Amino acid sequence: MYIKDQRYPRVHGVFSFSKEFFNIKAIVEDIHFKDGDRSWRYGDGLIINFITEAYVDARPSNKFYAYGFSKISGVSQSVLVCHNGVFYLKNDDIPIKIDLDSENQKSYYDIKIPWKKIEPFNILMDQILGINIRYSSLNDDGSTTYLKLVEDDDFESESVDEKRYLPLELLLSDKSETQFSLMLENNLVSASETSVKIRVFSNKKQEMMLTTQIIGFPQGKLKKLINLNEGLQDFLIQFAVPNQSGSYILEVELGKEKHSQEFYRLIPEELSNLETFIRQLENKAETPLEKSSYYGLSYKLLDLKKNLEEFNPRDKISTIKEKIDEINLLYARQEKYGHLYIKGKIRTAFKSPDDGSLQIYSLLLPENFDPEKNYDLILCLHGSGVDEVGFLNSFLSYKEAFGENIIYAAPRGRDLSDYYIGQTEKDIIDLLKNIKEMFKISKTFILGFSMGGYGAWRLAFNHSELFNGAIINSGPIKAPFTDNTDIDIKSLNNEAKNIPYLVMHGTEDRAINFIAIKKFVDQLKKQEYAIEFKVFDGAGHGNFDPKNVIKEWIKNIK
């Protein structure tokens, strides 16, 4: 690999692979190497798309992982940026070493991607791996220069999942050791039997014993003596599966090597019975809690059925398993208590009065929740490209610091990156109305991070009568996709001085410019807004803990 766009930066790279890893060694020539939060995006660092469903003709694919690699505070780090269009932005444990030679203006990347990090891609089963690499170099004027292995305008798009790539054919050497892999006909099994394809690479002619078994299910154990030729060979094995819903492990052994695969046995009749039960709830629901429980269970069932319809035979069954387990848990809770809202986290829905659609949101309730008691409410708006579930998880640590007198509610929105504009803004107002009908709410605060920070500005400025305060964490004052004046928060700030604001921002935020936010806050102060501006010196885009700052600020709200 050699990427060249101009004198600097330049990237040279070499790919190789082993049974355990896909290896990338790269040399970057640049005039400087600046590290910091999200350097893989804004400079200086690499972001790599690994296409797990790739083709020889390089047609675009929506099956991929995106990993970012850079130094942060001098430490080499890897980040899972995106998987099949779902953004995670979380640190990962991929082995990576970045060495800097500033004197000669070079940096050296040594990256080892364990195959398990890009499942379901498999060397033997797939053989063609797609790859695209982008190097980001931060210029002295604050702009960023990008170099790409393959030109792709949607390389890191949040709206287009189809990615372009260079197809790499991974061929085993005749000196490679004998090895095998397995692939179930479908990881989701609804019939009483299924099949598994076993692909073997042999470095010589030989006989070997092949054993397949389902752990804990004696009827699923089979033994077969197979004759191997040199090279690749496929074997198809039929086997019976347990007649009970649940997850199971298929274990395959060949010689001294052993592999396993998890699958889920789904009994279709059980799903039909659940659907009947939920349909009956509609006629029984009278109170706001009962109606909300019906909508929540209806959403859960629709979501499960959608996942079953879209399930790829090679997908991991963990998501399906979790959804089935959750809906059964909520079914039992509904039977026992008459509604779903007992304690802890729950993802549910309300019915939009505008179009009748079910709109998703998540709740975090106190452990000793009592719907007859009064609670404060924090409405939590997530950032772009991620859903509300992960964002709400970050508030689990807040419960101990803030006490048990708070309900946290997080809307998903109609689009993961719509900036809480238009119908989503209207939905949030309807959500607040629903929550206040369900629970006894004393004070209501709105809190948002990044895109959600923009949403918090917007909702507070347009509907300040609904809130007792607004908290903006690393939020912009303008949506990035339009120049409409009503999208600029600065044009909305004339009628919202009746509530206090807490604004938090890192001085080294490369996503949302700190100087622009400071100027806006200073302008609001001159207009006599009650606003506290907490600066996190040296911090990037939200990589700081705001918990204690928020706690003290809320404590002082009368």
Side-chain angles (χ1 to χ4, degrees):
M1 177 188 75
Y2 175 63
I3 305 176
K4 180 179 179 182
D5 187 36
Q6 55 190 42
R7 175 70 183 98
Y8 290 109
R10 296 191 300 185
V11 181
H12 312 255
V14 175
F15 307 139
S16 62
F17 71 97
S18 65
K19 188 178 178 180
E20 292 80 22
F21 299 102
F22 181 73
N23 305 101
I24 300 173
K25 289 184 180 288
I27 301 174
V28 177
E29 298 177 67
D30 206 347
I31 57 175
H32 53 57
F33 299 102
K34 297 181 179 179
D35 75 359
D37 181 44
R38 302 194 184 203
S39 296
W40 42 267
R41 173 177 283 166
Y42 301 108
D44 295 333
L46 293 173
I47 184 169
I48 305 178
N49 284 344
F50 297 94
I51 313 300
T52 58
E53 192 173 280
Y55 308 91
V56 175
D57 62 3
R59 77 190 85 151
S61 174
N62 61 1
K63 301 296 184 184
F64 68 97
Y65 289 81
Y67 284 100
F69 304 96
S70 60
K71 277 184 174 287
I72 300 179
S73 300
V75 179
S76 301
Q77 293 196 12
S78 61
V79 175
L80 174 58
V81 179
C82 185
H83 177 218
N84 293 349
V86 179
F87 283 75
Y88 289 92
L89 296 181
K90 61 182 181 182
N91 288 344
D92 210 284
D93 57 355
I94 287 176
I96 174 175
K97 184 180 181 183
I98 305 174
D99 291 323
L100 302 182
D101 181 357
S102 299
E103 183 178 346
N104 293 302
Q105 297 180 322
K106 292 182 179 181
S107 64
Y108 300 87
Y109 286 75
D110 187 357
I111 304 169
K112 290 180 168 55
I113 309 293
W115 292 118
K116 66 180 180 180
K117 292 291 186 180
I118 54 174
E119 290 178 339
F121 181 83
N122 181 284
I123 307 173
L124 294 180
M125 291 293 181
D126 300 293
Q127 296 186 286
I128 297 176
L129 175 68
I131 190 168
N132 200 2
I133 299 179
R134 188 184 74 187
Y135 179 72
S136 305
S137 177
L138 181 65
N139 302 316
D140 291 334
D141 63 1
S143 63
T144 306
T145 297
Y146 297 110
L147 294 183
K148 298 175 188 174
L149 177 62
V150 176
E151 274 304 316
D152 183 3
D153 292 338
D154 299 312
F155 181 91
E156 202 192 345
S157 169
E158 294 182 6
S159 57
V160 179
D161 292 338
E162 296 278 319
K163 305 302 175 188
R164 299 188 179 277
Y165 54 89
L166 174 71
L168 301 177
E169 189 172 6
L170 307 180
L171 300 176
L172 275 69
S173 162
D174 56 8
K175 297 180 181 178
S176 297
E177 63 185 64
T178 296
Q179 55 190 287
F180 80 95
S181 187
L182 63 95
M183 183 170 68
L184 283 161
E185 175 187 351
N186 197 323
N187 291 341
L188 186 64
V189 182
S190 57
S192 58
E193 65 175 28
T194 188
S195 62
V196 59
K197 182 170 80 172
I198 298 165
R199 178 166 288 179
V200 185
F201 175 83
S202 180
N203 53 20
K204 61 183 179 181
K205 289 187 175 182
Q206 57 182 317
E207 279 190 345
M208 297 187 78
M209 181 63 71
L210 178 68
T211 303
T212 64
Q213 65 173 325
I214 299 174
I215 304 300
F217 183 60
Q219 296 93 315
K221 186 167 185 176
L222 298 169
K223 282 191 173 186
K224 183 178 183 179
L225 189 66
I226 59 174
N227 294 306
L228 298 175
N229 296 316
E230 291 185 27
L232 289 171
Q233 285 180 261
D234 290 338
F235 300 89
L236 191 66
I237 308 294
Q238 294 284 137
F239 61 95
V241 296
N243 193 31
Q244 185 174 349
S245 290
S247 59
Y248 297 90
I249 302 292
L250 173 69
E251 188 175 82
V252 179
E253 187 172 358
L254 181 67
K256 296 181 179 180
E257 192 175 6
K258 185 185 294 184
H259 292 302
S260 61
Q261 179 65 49
E262 185 178 17
F263 67 92
Y264 196 90
R265 172 73 163 108
L266 178 66
I267 308 296
E269 292 77 16
E270 294 181 8
L271 199 60
S272 299
N273 293 339
L274 192 59
E275 189 169 7
T276 300
F277 167 79
I278 293 173
R279 198 181 301 120
Q280 292 171 347
L281 286 179
E282 184 177 16
N283 298 325
K284 299 179 182 178
E286 296 179 355
T287 68
L289 275 180
E290 290 170 344
K291 290 178 181 178
S292 177
S293 296
Y294 164 68
Y295 294 136
L297 282 168
S298 296
Y299 151 68
K300 294 289 185 185
L301 183 63
L302 288 172
D303 185 48
L304 173 60
K305 291 171 73 173
K306 181 174 182 287
N307 275 262
L308 292 172
E309 289 170 3
E310 296 177 351
F311 188 82
N312 185 297
R314 294 181 67 183
D315 285 347
K316 290 184 177 181
I317 56 89
S318 54
T319 300
I320 297 293
K321 179 180 181 299
E322 287 169 6
K323 290 181 183 295
I324 291 175
D325 288 348
E326 183 184 29
I327 204 168
N328 283 325
L329 173 68
L330 295 178
Y331 169 88
R333 182 181 291 183
Q334 176 71 30
E335 286 274 79
K336 183 175 181 180
Y337 298 101
H339 63 84
L340 306 181
Y341 306 104
I342 306 303
K343 64 177 181 178
K345 290 189 301 178
I346 180 172
R347 198 178 200 190
T348 184
F350 72 96
K351 186 176 182 179
S352 167
D354 293 331
D355 59 13
S357 62
L358 293 178
Q359 293 302 314
I360 307 160
Y361 68 100
S362 291
L363 283 172
L364 180 58
L365 301 172
E367 287 304 305
N368 297 315
F369 178 68
D370 181 352
E372 295 303 315
K373 289 185 178 180
N374 283 63
Y375 294 91
D376 290 338
L377 172 69
I378 298 182
L379 185 67
C380 310
L381 306 186
H382 64 80
S384 177
V386 296
D387 66 22
E388 88 290 353
V389 176
F391 188 51
L392 198 64
N393 284 341
S394 65
F395 289 89
L396 291 171
S397 64
Y398 283 46
K399 291 179 68 176
E400 183 176 350
F402 284 25
E404 289 288 319
N405 197 46
I406 295 177
I407 295 172
Y408 304 84
R412 184 182 189 275
R414 300 214 174 194
D415 187 281
L416 292 182
S417 301
D418 65 2
Y419 275 74
Y420 304 96
I421 292 169
Q423 185 59 48
T424 295
E425 181 176 359
K426 175 68 166 56
D427 289 339
I428 292 175
I429 305 306
D430 292 329
L431 170 61
L432 277 176
K433 180 181 177 182
N434 270 268
I435 290 176
K436 289 180 178 180
E437 288 175 347
M438 291 163 58
F439 310 126
K440 295 181 178 180
I441 303 299
S442 299
K443 296 176 185 175
T444 302
F445 300 95
I446 188 167
L447 179 155
F449 168 69
S450 193
M451 178 188 78
Y454 171 87
W457 279 123
R458 184 174 185 83
L459 269 293
F461 278 4
N462 283 339
H463 311 277
S464 61
E465 73 281 0
L466 298 177
F467 304 104
N468 296 90
I471 304 163
I472 296 92
N473 182 357
S474 308
I477 54 176
K478 188 177 183 302
F481 50 77
T482 179
D483 291 325
N484 293 345
T485 55
D486 66 338
I487 304 303
D488 193 328
I489 296 299
K490 289 181 287 187
S491 67
L492 305 176
N493 68 354
N494 295 319
E495 304 295 333
K497 298 179 184 178
N498 57 310
I499 63 171
Y501 298 80
L502 170 63
V503 180
M504 301 173 290
H505 217 91
T507 58
E508 300 301 318
D509 191 328
R510 296 185 183 183
I512 311 298
N513 184 268
F514 169 78
I515 299 300
I517 300 302
K518 185 178 184 306
K519 286 181 179 179
F520 181 57
V521 169
D522 289 342
Q523 175 189 330
L524 293 180
K525 288 181 176 180
K526 289 179 181 178
Q527 293 177 250
E528 298 182 344
Y529 274 73
I531 187 165
E532 181 178 333
F533 188 38
K534 177 63 178 177
V535 176
F536 289 83
D537 191 44
H541 190 56
N543 62 340
F544 52 82
D545 186 357
K547 183 164 64 255
N548 290 330
V549 174
I550 297 173
K551 175 185 174 182
E552 290 302 313
W553 182 81
I554 286 180
K555 190 169 66 175
N556 293 324
I557 301 297
K558 304 299 183 185

